[in-house]
Amino acid sequence: MKAIRVRAFGPPEVMRLEEVTDPAPGPGQVLVRIRAAGVNPVETYIRTGTYARRPALPYTPGNDAAGIVDAVGDGVRGISAGDRVYTSETVTGAYAEFALCDAARVHPLPGSVSYAQGAAVGVPYATAWRALFQRARAVPGETVLVHGASGGVGSAAVQIARAAGLRVFGTAGTEEGIALVLREGAHTVLDHREAGYIEKAVAATGGRGFDVILEMLANVNLARDLKALAMGGRVVVIGSRGTVEIDPRDTMARDASIVGMSLFNMPDADRAVVHAALVAGLANGTLRPVIGREFPLSAAPESHVAVMSPGARGKIVLLP
Ligand code: NAP
């Protein structure tokens, strides 16, 4: 099969398309023929070699894929060759024509959802669902600010929160992103390039502030987020690319919480809950992953440049 291989950590160009041996499923494993693979920012961090997770070289990047089950190993129940599926992690890497996965990381993909959309689910939708309900404990009727709502995680969070009965505010940094956030269900959208936009958002809540803020760029926004929370409000730090100075008194004044999360820490039992909810939402049409750009598998380097550039409009996927 063809697969992207990284033989040395470094810039996007270290990813090259190579011919590698076809994998075969061992006990408890599923072999998926990949139709689309999702590109997540974390795969760019790992590729540089400076992230906490450093895979042994050479490796094939990628967690998220959607495709068709090609074969299953001994002991796999409930998944058969020919099934449409998406993955939430792979053993051999998702930027490839085939991926081996543990059976627990393979989930049914409803027929109404395209493979490109399926490749947008694993990391982004699971992150959004876990952030909202397992970390922030959001409940219907609360008000949420999705800070960075035009990207993979943010657009998922807007759809999930809207379907669950929250009042949803979202931010984006381009006209196209703003239109996307409104289209996907935000009640109110703000431009995070505009001066004073957070104060404007708080004013639009009648001055009360937000019960929950999902934060995609905490190093830029956390200090102001804390001033925009309602009493008992929670900020979930999903993304951050540097350090930030905050005033701890802002948390005291509101009985507020700053909650971190990494999907890598999610216990298996929580993961089962999340994907049960996501499969149901995909099947009933409340979750509709938005595909912003598609690249051929050989253009993995270009896809990594794109995912780190401003102007998100949903998800970036690779098509083998
Ligand atoms: P993405 O698709 O590239 O989206 C990035 C988002 O950040 C876009 O909506 C972008 O908006 C927005 N953004 C840019 N400048 C901003 C600002 N000043 N304030 C607020 N938002 C801003 O990436 P993603 O897949 O959604 O991931 C988002 C972040 O979460 C990344 O840092 C990623 O590494 C992290 N993440 C963490 C976990 C975890 O487990 N903790 C899991 C998944 C992702 P515009 O482009 O419209 O300006």
Side-chain angles (χ1 to χ4, degrees), residues 105-129:
R105 298 307 196 101
V106 174
H107 316 275
L109 184 67
S112 54
V113 183
S114 72
Y115 292 115
Q117 288 179 304
V121 176
V123 168
Y125 276 75
T127 299
W129 207 96

Side-chain angles (χ1 to χ4, degrees), residues 90-247:
T90 72
V91 175
T92 52
Y95 295 9
E97 290 180 324
F98 289 88
L100 269 188
C101 305
D102 289 331
R105 298 307 196 101
V106 174
H107 316 275
L109 184 67
S112 54
V113 183
S114 72
Y115 292 115
Q117 288 179 304
V121 176
V123 168
Y125 276 75
T127 299
W129 207 96
R130 180 164 176 74
L132 271 169
F133 302 123
Q134 294 178 334
R135 302 300 291 144
R137 306 269 169 210
V139 294
E142 287 194 315
T143 302
V144 60
L145 171 65
V146 181
H147 216 161
S150 46
V153 177
S155 57
V158 167
Q159 293 174 0
I160 293 167
R162 180 69 192 250
L166 283 96
R167 182 155 189 82
V168 183
F169 287 60
T171 79
T174 62
E175 289 310 314
E176 214 177 344
I178 285 168
L180 182 157
V181 175
L182 270 182
R183 200 166 57 237
E184 296 313 318
H187 296 90
T188 305
V189 65
L190 297 130
D191 185 339
H192 53 231
R193 294 167 308 183
E194 198 182 298
Y197 75 95
I198 294 187
E199 293 72 16
K200 203 165 125 186
V202 172
T205 68
R208 183 179 168 275
F210 296 96
D211 300 295
V212 173
I213 299 179
L214 303 190
E215 186 47 74
M216 305 305 157
L217 201 56
N219 54 302
V220 172
N221 298 320
L222 186 61
R224 281 176 300 162
D225 287 346
L226 295 180
K227 298 184 194 301
L229 286 175
M231 187 63 72
R234 296 85 75 197
V235 181
V236 186
V237 177
I238 297 175
S240 190
R241 294 179 180 165
T243 58
V244 62
E245 187 175 313
I246 62 163
D247 182 348

Side-chain angles (χ1 to χ4, degrees), residues 4 35-39 95 294-297 299-300 303 316-320:
I4 293 291
R35 290 294 180 79
V39 176
Y95 295 9
E294 296 179 344
F295 291 86
L297 185 58
S303 76
I316 294 174
V317 298
L318 294 170
L319 304 178

Side-chain angles (χ1 to χ4, degrees), residues 59-85:
Y59 76 98
T60 296
N63 304 287
D64 296 345
I68 303 161
V69 173
D70 193 72
V72 300
D74 288 345
V76 174
R77 303 271 172 270
I79 304 172
S80 311
D83 287 356
R84 300 175 94 249
V85 294

